[in-house]
Amino acid sequence: LNRWSPRAMTGENIPHEVHHLFWKGVMDSNILTRTETDTDFQAAFAMYQDEIIARMCSGGGLSGYSHLRLLKPEARENFKSEKPEKFQAIFDTVATLNDFLQELSSELKRRNISGETLIGAVIKARSFNELKENLNTCKNYIMTQPITNPDKPSSSGWDFALV
């Protein structure tokens, strides 16, 4: 089965999109809280966390993006020109976490551990800093596990780092 065929894409897409519907309900009910104090960082974290969990639920690559990626080009350029430091800080935060997740994903594959193992760490996080701390804790545990697939490739094909 060609991984880009509609049938193959649907296999990942249905659980991925169902997660987004479920997660919106969770967030709307205020069951979980976020501690990012800046509203732009809070929106960026919300989008990033949602996307990471959706990818974990659907077997996609471990990477995410912020709310800035979904802005119309003009709105994105306005944000970038009005708040250049914040734009760069959000971009750098997402890129750094995606790089970390790429490295972690590679280690998971080498040890034959599912990326879903990280889902609790992502759900419990209330900020970018807390997410990084939680993932570091997971990494420390993962690195103690035996390597079972030393030649496993590190890319799933869905991995990308965008704001």
Side-chain angles (χ1 to χ4, degrees):
L1 182 64
N2 177 341
R3 71 177 275 122
W4 300 109
S5 71
R7 187 168 145 217
M9 296 290 284
T10 303
E12 177 184 345
N13 200 39
I14 290 173
H16 182 106
E17 297 306 327
V18 167
H19 157 76
H20 288 308
L21 294 172
F22 172 75
W23 193 249
K24 181 172 176 6
V26 169
M27 297 290 51
D28 288 351
S29 68
N30 294 316
I31 292 171
L32 301 174
T33 59
R34 297 201 175 91
T35 58
E36 292 287 354
T37 55
D38 180 271
T39 56
D40 291 314
F41 268 90
Q42 190 173 67
F45 178 71
M47 179 65 68
Y48 190 84
Q49 182 184 41
D50 181 25
E51 187 61 20
I52 291 294
I53 297 169
R55 287 168 177 252
M56 287 178 178
C57 291
S58 62
L62 300 181
S63 63
Y65 50 85
S66 78
H67 67 302
L68 299 176
R69 179 174 177 229
L70 301 181
L71 294 176
K72 292 181 180 179
E74 183 178 326
R76 184 176 170 171
E77 283 304 313
N78 286 344
F79 185 96
K80 189 175 182 177
S81 65
E82 292 169 10
K83 305 174 186 180
E85 295 86 11
K86 189 180 288 189
F87 180 90
Q88 192 62 48
I90 291 170
F91 182 89
D92 291 346
T93 299
V94 168
T96 299
L97 271 169
N98 281 343
D99 288 346
F100 182 80
L101 282 168
Q102 276 297 120
E103 178 185 318
L104 196 52
S105 180
S106 179
E107 293 303 329
L108 288 168
K109 289 174 187 175
R110 293 179 69 218
R111 289 162 172 78
N112 205 26
I113 301 172
S114 169
E116 294 171 358
T117 303
L118 306 174
I119 201 164
V122 178
I123 289 172
K124 290 177 186 177
R126 297 172 299 159
S127 67
F128 280 118
N129 286 336
E130 205 170 294
L131 177 58
K132 179 70 171 174
E133 289 172 17
N134 293 355
L135 292 173
N136 267 321
T137 299
C138 289
K139 182 180 180 183
N140 291 338
Y141 169 75
I142 290 164
M143 298 305 283
T144 68
Q145 302 307 300
I147 295 173
T148 56
N149 297 315
D151 297 325
K152 199 75 170 174
S154 63
S155 177
S156 70
W158 279 95
D159 306 321
F160 61 94
L162 295 174
V163 173

